[in-house]
């Protein structure tokens, strides 16, 4: 018998999908999920993500984090790992 799964993610398509907004605004679609990715170099990580379809958000809340959007409009963060 295989060992039980510790981590898993289930994804499904949503009817009537609305792109979430960043930063959050009253009356607009809020974040549904959010991924943070630890990176060693923010500029290099952004430079890799953009050609793959990511776009950089106008609002950036922290110096050591970059908020980007995937092609479907979901925000995610690249976080500089200072350790």
């Amino acid at each position: 018998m295989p060992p039980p799964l510790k981590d898993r993610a289930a994804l499904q398509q949503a009817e009537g999908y609305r792109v979430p907004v960043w930063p959050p605004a009253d009356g607009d679609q809020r974040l549904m999920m959010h991924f943070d990715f630890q990176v060693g170099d923010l500029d290099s990580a952004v430079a890799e993500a953009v050609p793959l379809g990511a776009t950089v958000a106008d609002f950036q809340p922290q110096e050591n984090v970059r908020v980007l959007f995937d092609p479907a409009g979901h925000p995610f963060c690249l976080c500089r790992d200072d350790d």
Side-chain angles (χ1 to χ4, degrees):
M1 179 172 198
L5 296 174
K6 292 182 181 179
D7 299 315
R8 63 178 107 174
L11 306 175
Q12 63 189 45
Q13 187 165 340
E15 295 296 324
Y17 171 77
R18 292 186 312 158
V19 175
V21 297
W22 174 258
D26 289 339
D28 287 328
Q29 177 65 49
R30 313 274 286 164
L31 300 178
M32 293 168 271
M33 67 174 188
H34 182 86
F35 287 110
D36 288 340
F37 298 98
Q38 301 288 41
V39 298
D41 182 294
L42 278 177
D43 293 334
S44 294
V46 170
E48 287 184 45
V50 169
L52 296 172
T55 55
V56 180
D58 291 334
F59 177 70
Q60 298 294 326
Q62 297 169 284
E63 184 178 316
N64 64 335
V65 174
R66 293 295 173 272
V67 180
L68 294 95
F69 300 103
D70 72 13
H74 299 107
F76 66 94
C77 290
L78 300 175
C79 305
R80 187 177 64 227
D81 186 0
D82 291 328
D83 292 331

